[in-house]
Amino acid sequence: MSSLSRRAALGILAVGAVGAVGAATGLVHRYGRKDVPADVLPTRRASHTGRNPVVTENACTGTRDWQVTERGPRVVTDPDRQIQGYASTTSAAAGDSVAFHVSVRPAQEFTVTVHRIGHYGGQGGRQLAQSPTLRGIAQPVPPAHPEHGMIDCGWPVSWTLDIPEDWVAGVYLAVFRSKDGHRSSTPFVVRDTARASDILVVLPFTTYQAYNAWPQDGRTGKSLYKGFDAQGRNAGNAERAFKVSFDRPYSDSGRPSWFKMDSSFVRWAEMSGYDVTYASSIDLHEGRIDPTKYAALVFSGHDEYWSRQMRDVAEKAVASRTHLAYLGANNIYFHIRTEESPAGRNNRVVVCYKQDPDPTPNEHGPTVRWRDLEKKRKHAEQRLLGVQYNGMLARPVPLVVRRADHWLWQGTGLTEGEQIPNLVGVEADGHDPRTRLPRRAVQQLLSHSPYLDGMGRGERIQNTSLLQHRDGTMVFVAGTFLWPLALGSPDHLDSRIQTATGNLFDRMVTRTVRA
């Protein structure tokens, strides 16, 4: 069935969508008043594709063993590198293989366990596989490339996982545990692009790698943001890399920067019973994703680094009447390209020269900010999203509600001008009057939150935005890093944001799009 035909068969959303997750589970606002009940089962939302294996999967027994501590006597650190590893790919389908490359210091036995992230009765994950006991040795830290700063490990394969045919698409963590009790991890996605789920969730692996400064040892490590000077100090742009490799661990315990945004969303979405499948940003880049299969594409985390090929998929989605939802801020900010690894594997290197001259731009232009690619801001992120990055915050501020009568806020109890404490944080988006909106799209700004820019650029306004095109296609941008944490992170929970997000997704997956 075509995307349009499938949506035409869905029927029109009833007033008062079923998405009031906070009311359904009895949750109240955050700040210590109540946490997610551990025994909450996934809400049985009807899948409009006719099949939703996520609910069945989350009825299985879960475990908290997927959680790797970042504190305590057995914490893994980059200077000591007790046990760290990386995966050979950002995503794999059933029947494919994922190889893990692991260094153990000092040499000793270790194991790899593989966990799927979800709800699982509040446990947050389920173990699906375990390696045999393996013999690990310390692998070398290669020097940074003298011209572009890339660190590519090229370690041998320690263990290979063959993805079983019955594994449900999802976000997975490989957890590495040494005999002496140190643990670290690395994420990957199991995809199922053959199945037309209601929602496709895309994880921002290109942005994960941009921020990865492994090893943060005061000497060697580099990211697209920083490196170290001769005194071991963070030298910022002066020592940063222009190219970063997927063939290295993530720093310390192995969780990418802001991975918590994605894992928080995933746990909430699966608790809520949405029909979801998953992909990585490299899947978008490599052309595996047909956006017409889905009612909505959801970008759950901090998704800053985009290639032209990735953006083409998002633009095709809107043109094909597939909705977009960006739950973080500072999306589609830097234009990147990818390159093959020294071992000859495609798309294992992310390239971004930013303000420095790009010596080898491809046909899509230099690796600069999207808004700087052409004159008149033709490719500014607002031209697709409706808002764009406008500042950083030294500390969180309230999100100030605007248009409280809008259906997004229905069932939240929020009133015009009411403040949701500490919801706007880290980075923020806002409407830029100098930059055009998409043609014939109507924008509704659903928050108006003043904040002081942490870089000393004065007061800015954060906006949560909803664009609606003439055919009914929606593009939603939360405009703050902390929105997805309010969905499923215990120290940020807010049932009003859960309810609003449920309203959005219920409308996206059930609303008939006009022909």
Side-chain angles (χ1 to χ4, degrees), residues 282-301:
I282 292 296
D283 291 321
L284 261 65
H285 177 84
E286 293 183 341
R288 291 193 184 94
I289 304 305
D290 177 3
T292 66
K293 286 185 174 182
Y294 310 99
L297 304 187
V298 174
F299 301 88
S300 52

Side-chain angles (χ1 to χ4, degrees), residues 204-214 222-227 240-246 248 250 256-257 281 302-306 334 336 349-352 354:
F205 277 81
T206 50
T207 300
Y208 291 164
Q209 205 51 252
Y211 281 84
N212 182 18
W214 183 92
K222 292 179 183 289
S223 69
L224 293 181
Y225 289 88
K226 68 180 184 180
R240 75 177 185 89
F242 303 123
K243 300 183 181 184
V244 289
S245 171
F246 283 105
R248 58 186 179 137
Y250 293 103
S257 294
S281 51
H302 178 39
D303 214 337
E304 183 177 351
Y305 288 79
W306 281 57
F334 280 114
I336 64 168
V349 175
V350 175
V351 181
C352 193
K354 301 184 180 180

